[in-house]
Each structure stands twice: as structure tokens, then as C-alpha cells.
């Protein structure tokens, strides 16, 4: 994978060491079948179909016995260095790739549980982020009225406040940053529990990643009811 010193290459990195407890499926959710194939495979296929992506890496736990049946024979490398958290898995993956990826190469980190990604969305992210030094991410502007909950729980929760939605976005993935910046941001994160996505780690450095409008089809499958929604989108590419 050698390249000219100033040539920027694009790599995909998918952390897939989680167990997906909220899916109540009895197995890691990235391997649940959606529209006829494992959820993770949909994400892999999107990167494999993009001519802009040089190579794709998947980070799994050391004892993962399923991943080899999911990844294709070419174009994807499995890194068995997954950690206890998503952030730890990504950082372990970056460390494993030290020397293989140049500091200025771009890493697109994507959730294994977002099967609706398309090559068009990948191209849009890469094109619109361009050479922005703080990188960027796919996201959706909030269009619904936002309420802050007050007292009560469950069905008895009361609305306490309407929150202005101007300027609010819902983060998606991929989130794209240079190898050097992403490694620095995750390594220096003062409070790993406060890092809910890669962009928040970059923001903690005082930088502002660029927001690129994504698409609702790129939803994250978190709860059992999300599977049906994802399949509806996948049925209409």
C-alpha cells in the first residue's frame, strides 16, 4: 500500500467488538441477519463498492469466532485487538496500523450497526470535508421539536422544556479524520466516558469537525424495532 508522500489515501475502520446488549438477541448485533446477510456485511460491502477506499479494517475481540465467516476473501483485514469500549477498540486498531497508514491519510470510522451506508454517502463525506484540518462526519439536522424531560419516568414522564433545535444535529458515521489527529484525540481524551463518538474527542482538542448532511437510511440499529426500518431502506437502494 505504498503511495507518494503527499498522496492522501482513505481507509475504513469498523469497531465490531461490542455485544449489543440492548438488542436482546443473545449474540453480537453486528452479526444479526438483516435483508439476508449479517448487518456488518452491509457496511463492509458499502466500503468495498467505493473506489475511494483503499482498504477496510474491522476490529473484533480476540476470541471472536464468527468474523471469519462474514468478511470477504479480499479487501478487508480483521484486527483481533478489540477493547472493552468502542473508543478502546478504535485506538487499539490505530495502534495496530501504526506504520501502515501515513499520518496524513484519512481514516473513516464507521459503526458496524449502520447497514444503510452507501458508496454515495462515502463519496459525499470525502468530497465535502475536503482538506478541512479537523475532519468531519455525516450527520442529520434535527427537524422535530425537541423536548427536555422533567419529572417522572416511563409513560409518566413530563415535558419540562422545549429546547431550540436551531443548530442541533444528530451525529452519524462514518466520521473521518487524519490518522494522526484521530490517534492524538483518542489518546489524549481526558474522560473516556465523555467520548460518545470520535468527533467529540476531536472537539476536546478545541477543533471543530465539519458536519456533512447524511441520510436517514444510515440509521444505527440499536433496538429490535430498528431492524424493520433498516430493512425497508435496504430494500430500496
Amino acid at each position: 500500500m505504498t503511495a507518494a508522500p503527499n498522496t492522501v489515501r482513505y481507509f475504513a475502520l469498523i469497531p465490531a467488538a461490542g455485544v449489543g446488549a440492548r438488542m436482546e438477541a443473545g449474540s453480537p448485533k453486528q452479526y444479526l441477519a438483516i435483508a439476508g446477510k449479517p448487518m456488518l456485511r452491509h457496511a463492509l460491502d458499502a466500503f468495498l463498492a467505493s473506489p475511494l477506499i483503499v482498504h477496510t479494517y474491522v476490529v473484533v475481540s480476540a476470541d471472536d469466532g464468527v468474523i471469519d465467516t462474514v468478511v470477504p476473501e479480499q479487501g478487508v483485514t480483521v484486527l483481533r485487538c478489540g477493547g472493552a469500549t468502542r473508543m478502546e477498540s478504535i485506538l487499539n486498531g490505530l495502534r495496530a496500523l501504526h506504520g501502515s497508514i501515513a499520518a496524513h491519510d484519512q481514516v473513516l470510522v464507521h459503526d458496524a450497526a449502520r447497514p444503510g451506508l452507501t458508496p454515495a454517502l462515502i463519496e459525499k463525506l470525502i468530497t465535502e470535508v475536503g482538506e478541512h484540518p479537523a475532519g468531519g462526519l455525516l450527520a442529520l439536522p434535527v427537524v422535530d421539536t425537541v423536548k427536555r424531560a422533567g419529572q417522572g419516568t416511563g409513560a409518566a414522564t413530563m415535558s419540562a422544556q422545549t429546547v431550540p433545535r436551531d443548530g442541533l444535529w444528530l451525529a452519524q458515521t462514518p466520521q473521518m479524520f487524519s490518522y494522526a489527529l484521530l490517534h492524538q484525540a483518542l489518546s489524549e481524551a481526558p474522560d473516556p466516558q465523555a467520548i460518545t463518538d470520535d468527533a467529540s474527542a476531536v472537539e476536546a482538542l478545541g477543533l471543530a469537525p465539519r458536519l456533512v448532511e447524511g441520510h436517514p437510511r444510515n440509521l444505527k440499529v440499536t433496538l429490535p424495532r430498528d431492524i424493520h426500518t433498516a430493512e425497508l431502506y435496504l430494500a430500496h437502494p
Side-chain angles (χ1 to χ4, degrees), residues 7-33:
T7 299
V8 175
R9 300 175 298 170
Y10 299 90
F11 296 88
L13 179 64
I14 304 179
V19 297
R22 283 179 288 182
M23 284 297 296
E24 302 175 356
S27 64
K29 67 178 178 181
Q30 60 265 28
Y31 300 133
L32 291 177

Side-chain angles (χ1 to χ4, degrees), residues 31 35 37 51 54 57 61 70 78 89 103 108 179 197 208 212 223:
Y31 300 133
K37 57 186 176 182
V54 173
Y57 296 93
S61 59
V70 174
V78 177
S89 291
L108 284 76
Y179 175 89
D197 68 349
V212 176
L223 301 172

Side-chain angles (χ1 to χ4, degrees), residues 13-18 27-32 38-45 48 56-82 112-113:
L13 179 64
I14 304 179
S27 64
K29 67 178 178 181
Q30 60 265 28
Y31 300 133
L32 291 177
M39 184 164 18
L40 172 60
R41 185 58 189 259
H42 287 283
L44 293 174
D45 286 347
L48 289 171
T56 298
Y57 296 93
V58 182
V59 181
V60 301
S61 59
D63 58 354
D64 189 310
V66 181
I67 187 64
D68 290 335
T69 67
V70 174
V71 297
E73 295 182 358
Q74 296 181 340
V76 179
T77 297
V78 177
L79 303 175
R80 295 183 178 274
C81 57

Side-chain angles (χ1 to χ4, degrees), residues 9-17 40 43-44 47-48 53-60 75-82 86-98 101 105-114 117 122 125 173-179 182-183 186 198:
R9 300 175 298 170
Y10 299 90
F11 296 88
L13 179 64
I14 304 179
L40 172 60
L44 293 174
F47 285 114
L48 289 171
I53 301 300
V54 173
H55 198 74
T56 298
Y57 296 93
V58 182
V59 181
V60 301
V76 179
T77 297
V78 177
L79 303 175
R80 295 183 178 274
C81 57
R86 179 181 185 276
M87 174 180 152
E88 186 177 343
S89 291
I90 296 170
L91 189 53
N92 287 350
L94 292 175
R95 288 168 176 164
L97 295 174
H98 179 70
I101 298 180
D105 284 336
Q106 300 292 307
V107 180
L108 284 76
V109 182
H110 185 62
D111 294 329
R114 292 186 186 271
L117 182 66
I122 295 170
L125 175 66
T173 65
Q175 301 191 0
M176 185 179 77
F177 311 95
S178 71
Y179 175 89
L182 184 58
H183 187 279
L186 296 180
D198 312 297

Side-chain angles (χ1 to χ4, degrees), residues 127-152:
T127 300
E128 295 193 16
V129 170
E131 298 181 359
H132 186 55
L137 63 148
L138 293 179
L140 290 176
V142 174
V143 295
D144 293 321
T145 298
V146 179
K147 300 289 186 180
R148 186 185 305 279
Q151 297 179 346

